[in-house]
Amino acid sequence: MTQHFPALLIIIPLLSALIVSAMGWIDRRWCFPLAVASLAGALAVSVGLCAQVMAAGPIVYKMAGWRPPIGIVYVIDYLNAPVLVVILSVALLNLISAKTWIEKDFSDKLSAYLALYLLFLAGMVGIVATGDAFNLYVLLEIGSLTGYALIGLGKERAPLSSLNYLFMGTIGASFYLLGIGYIYIATGTLNMADIARLMPTLAGSGTLFLALIICMAGLFVKMALFPLHGWLPNAYSNAPSASAGLIAPLTTKVMIYAMVRVGLTVFTPEFTFSRALLSEAIVWLAVAAIVTGSLLALMQRRLSRMLTYIIVAEVGYMVGGFWLGNTSGVTGATLHIINDAAMTLTLFMAVSAIVWKLGSDRFEDLQGLFGKMPFTMTGFVLAALAVIGIPPTCGFFSKWYLITGGINAGQWGFVAALLFSSLVNAVLFFRIFEIAFFEPFAEGHGHHDHGPVMSEAPVTMVVPLLLAALSLIALGLFTGDIVTKLIQLAIPAGIA
């Protein structure tokens, strides 16, 4: 059975989506337990695969027994094994946490929503696991189309935000597909390993260089790299809470993973980083993303919207780190995919709990929140410290690698942008702490004789939130093992 684990990663959520959809016509009470069980099963499979990779090396699975390049292969290696675990962990924790929201917002279409949720996961997992460049596009569209629906099911401006996201996402996917077409023209194959094998003989190919630029442009649109970020703030802040808690931690991170995979495995580092001017331009674009995202976050008065601009800045962290083209930068970018997914999940689950109790996430409505929701705010504070980069949280360690990579590459603008963003994040979150603890200002600064009455979110929200918050410390404490036993083994020898 274990030899079929790579296929089960996709089969479990795909079949579960069909079963959950059908169960909506039979007995809707079973829809949610089935969705949770399927994600738990897929997570167990991903953990088993990660253990196998660490023990015996990469796994290549030939779908239906067809050998590449004719058939499609799934490859589980040192790069994607931990990412798969994180994706499915995020999906499972968010689904449990969002149970009350899903039952409230989608009581009449519960099975349809959960089917979309599972199909989105199938797309995300497939993007990460596939070893075929065109199959990545197909799974990209599965994940994107269901993502548009998950956002569009919201109220008020959510459908319009989803439509804007659809337009931009379609443009990004079209660029990526066009780039894959050029790759096929130049190489005659779509298998990633085959393309990489042919790259040394095609190092001077203008067609492949054009393909690299077009593929990256498409992925930059999908990950919302500044100035292509316009769709993200509205899409994530207007989405239903259950959808935002899934899409915000995963979509941009999976797209950045795709960038890393295409850059390292398809085009190879020697080709990807061979044009210093291209790398330099993208690093400075990342600097602009970090600075602009941080400044725009300072201008917000809604917690969820502030977080969306922090995501824009975080995309700049990872893109810039990868395009530094050195070991520390690539390590930091890859590690931050894992860390940022966990941090974003924790923050959005905290916001979801706050909105559940208060009905708002506006700053002026957060007064006294430490007294009202102490457990929720504990999780929020831990996530905030991780985003700022305070040890021993995971955010500190990935930023350390990114800053080290910037110093080694002589990219002082990138280093300065990282430090600036960390300072801005400190201002952003300590402003929230001040409002939630001290306001309304009075003698004693929040330590009144009759403080606010504690009124926490449901336990199904709070427990997953605290588990996610504790994972930020666990990821930080085990950073050494994650880097030495997985990430560094995934970085090709050609990177300095």
Side-chain angles (χ1 to χ4, degrees):
M1 175 64 77
T2 57
Q3 71 268 26
H4 296 299
F5 272 9
L8 289 175
L9 280 175
I10 310 297
I11 291 171
I12 289 174
L14 276 177
L15 287 183
S16 298
L18 177 63
I19 294 169
V20 167
S21 181
M23 190 58 66
W25 296 90
I26 302 170
D27 189 344
R28 283 196 290 181
R29 291 176 300 176
W30 285 98
C31 291
F32 191 85
L34 283 171
V36 170
S38 67
L39 289 181
L43 175 58
V45 168
S46 71
V47 171
L49 284 169
C50 190
Q52 286 184 43
V53 168
M54 293 175 69
I59 301 166
V60 178
Y61 183 85
K62 304 175 185 67
M63 297 296 288
W66 288 88
R67 298 179 62 183
I70 298 173
I72 294 173
V73 297
Y74 279 20
V75 179
I76 314 297
D77 58 13
Y78 298 109
L79 180 61
N80 61 9
V83 177
L84 288 167
V85 174
V86 169
I87 288 173
L88 290 160
S89 299
V90 166
L92 180 59
L93 282 174
N94 180 70
L95 183 61
I96 296 170
S97 174
K99 181 177 185 292
T100 47
W101 276 115
I102 294 171
E103 291 175 345
K104 175 179 179 290
D105 292 342
F106 308 108
S107 58
D108 57 337
K109 42 193 170 186
L110 179 65
S111 61
Y113 182 85
L114 292 174
L116 287 170
Y117 193 103
L118 292 167
L119 286 172
F120 176 83
L121 257 295
M124 294 295 105
V125 167
I127 291 169
V128 174
T130 187
D132 184 274
F134 179 76
N135 190 236
L136 190 152
Y137 164 76
V138 174
L139 292 159
L140 182 69
E141 286 300 274
I142 291 173
S144 296
L145 290 170
T146 49
Y148 306 147
L150 288 170
I151 293 171
L153 285 170
K155 300 174 182 177
E156 298 177 357
R157 297 184 63 84
L160 182 60
S161 300
S162 178
L163 183 63
N164 185 30
Y165 179 19
L166 185 152
F167 289 150
M168 293 298 294
T170 301
I171 292 170
S174 299
F175 268 92
Y176 175 79
L177 181 61
L178 181 61
I180 294 303
Y182 279 115
I183 291 174
Y184 187 75
I185 290 171
T187 64
T189 181
L190 294 170
N191 180 270
M192 292 181 181
D194 264 7
I195 297 168
R197 181 177 54 81
L198 295 170
M199 286 304 298
T201 63
L202 299 167
S205 171
T207 302
L208 281 177
F209 182 60
L210 180 62
L212 172 65
I213 293 174
I214 294 174
C215 283
M216 290 301 164
L219 293 174
F220 289 162
V221 173
K222 299 293 284 188
M223 70 178 69
L225 177 65
F226 176 86
L228 307 170
H229 69 291
W231 60 266
L232 187 148
N234 288 332
Y236 289 4
S237 61
N238 294 330
S241 292
S243 301
L246 175 72
I247 295 171
L250 294 186
T251 301
T252 54
K253 264 62 74 178
V254 170
M255 293 304 105
I256 291 163
Y257 164 85
M259 176 193 71
V260 174
R261 174 63 78 187
V262 169
L264 297 185
T265 304
V266 178
F267 289 99
T268 72
E270 292 80 8
F271 188 89
T272 300
F273 303 125
S274 62
R275 273 75 169 181
L277 185 61
L278 176 63
S279 297
E280 182 86 10
I282 294 176
V283 170
W284 280 106
L285 196 61
V287 170
I290 295 169
V291 173
T292 306
S294 299
L295 291 176
L296 288 172
L298 273 172
M299 299 168 60
Q300 306 309 311
R301 297 297 301 172
R302 277 182 58 200
L303 193 52
S304 60
R305 198 158 179 85
M306 182 190 85
L307 296 180
T308 63
Y309 284 106
I310 290 176
I311 291 173
V312 172
E314 298 281 337
V315 169
Y317 287 18
M318 292 171 275
V319 171
F322 176 74
W323 284 94
L324 291 173
N326 57 37
T327 300
S328 295
V330 175
T331 299
T334 307
L335 180 62
H336 206 65
I337 292 172
I338 298 168
N339 293 345
D340 193 51
M343 293 187 294
T344 306
L345 169 69
T346 308
L347 288 170
F348 272 84
M349 284 202 299
V351 172
S352 176
I354 291 168
V355 174
W356 178 265
K357 291 303 297 184
L358 304 183
S360 169
D361 64 346
R362 294 191 174 278
F363 289 177
E364 57 267 26
D365 297 323
L366 305 181
Q367 296 180 0
L369 205 56
F370 274 98
K372 297 174 186 175
M373 305 178 71
F375 295 107
T376 296
M377 290 307 294
T378 297
F380 183 84
V381 168
L382 284 173
L385 295 178
V387 171
I388 295 168
I390 305 297
T393 61
C394 58
F396 168 79
F397 297 98
S398 47
K399 283 189 178 183
W400 178 269
Y401 279 105
L402 291 169
I403 290 173
T404 302
I407 293 171
N408 293 340
Q411 289 285 358
W412 300 104
F414 182 67
V415 174
L418 288 172
L419 295 174
F420 171 76
S421 178
S422 294
L423 291 173
V424 170
N425 287 338
V427 172
L428 290 169
F429 285 110
F430 277 92
R431 178 173 60 173
I432 303 300
F433 299 162
E434 179 188 21
I435 295 170
F437 187 78
F438 291 109
E439 293 187 10
F441 289 112
E443 185 178 352
H445 288 280
H447 303 289
H448 314 298
D449 292 334
H450 303 286
V453 177
M454 190 175 84
S455 179
E456 267 290 356
V459 67
T460 53
M461 286 187 179
V462 174
V463 171
L465 168 61
L466 293 178
L467 288 174
L470 291 174
S471 75
L472 303 179
I473 298 175
L475 285 170
L477 295 176
F478 288 97
T479 292
D481 290 333
I482 295 171
V483 170
T484 57
K485 296 180 180 179
L486 289 166
I487 294 174
Q488 286 186 349
L489 297 176
I491 299 175
I495 296 180

